[in-house]
Amino acid sequence: MTHEPVVTYTAYRQADVSGVIAGRIGALLVDFVVIGVLWAIFAFALLVMGVFTFGLSWLLLAPLWPTVALLYNGITISGPRRGTIGQRMFGVEIRTTSGRTAPFIVAAAHAVLFYVSVTTLTPLVLLIGLVREDRRLLHDLLAGLIAVRRGS
């Protein structure tokens, strides 16, 4: 009795990953601007509310940037369009390796892993994607996600 090796096929092998790294870099710049605008709106609201709460709402200013970034990435990547505003502009979408839309918690964890890896490994974080055929970065591998060209 011979055993055949089990072959697992995933959606990303058939998907187009050409130009994904360049698109992700451009998307990152756009997303930083979008997150900055959202942060400014919420920061202004907290500053105004601080007058009425005797400064208590000002305590929320410190964790505001990471909270906005986490929610922005989690909501947009787990949404029906599978990508942030910047990713959509550059024709990139994020999927699970089986081709499905990422759940919110996975998309949020992906964002946390991204920000941790970028702050500790920059620009080395791109090296993994440059040598891998599927162009997945470290945080993609850890979260079980892949970036592909939109519509592929």
Side-chain angles (χ1 to χ4, degrees):
M1 179 169 165
T2 61
H3 294 283
E4 294 291 324
V6 176
V7 179
T8 303
Y9 295 98
T10 56
Y12 74 85
R13 297 219 188 275
Q14 293 84 24
D16 182 15
V17 294
S18 61
V20 166
I21 292 183
R24 289 178 84 172
I25 292 171
L28 175 65
L29 299 174
V30 171
D31 289 335
F32 276 157
V33 171
V34 172
I35 291 169
V37 169
L38 291 171
W39 175 84
I41 292 168
F42 288 117
F44 179 75
L46 288 175
L47 288 171
V48 171
M49 285 179 16
V51 173
F52 302 107
T53 62
F54 302 106
L56 286 176
S57 69
W58 296 339
L59 296 172
L60 299 174
L61 287 172
L64 185 61
W65 181 273
T67 303
V68 169
L70 181 79
L71 289 174
Y72 171 75
N73 283 287
I75 291 169
T76 55
I77 289 174
S78 67
R81 295 188 180 164
R82 298 180 177 176
T84 63
I85 292 170
Q87 289 168 345
R88 286 182 278 169
M89 286 176 65
F90 283 88
V92 176
E93 69 180 30
I94 306 294
R95 302 177 185 169
T96 64
T97 55
S98 62
R100 295 188 178 119
T101 302
F104 174 80
I105 194 72
V106 174
H110 182 255
V112 169
L113 292 168
F114 167 74
Y115 288 113
V116 168
S117 67
V118 165
T119 56
T120 58
L121 301 173
T122 298
L124 300 175
V125 70
L126 292 176
L127 289 180
I128 293 175
L130 293 174
V131 298
R132 290 185 55 93
E133 185 179 331
D134 60 4
R135 300 297 184 234
R136 292 172 73 189
L137 303 177
L138 178 62
H139 57 284
D140 299 330
L141 293 169
L142 293 173
L145 300 177
I146 183 168
V148 297
R149 300 298 300 166
R150 187 164 291 285
S152 65

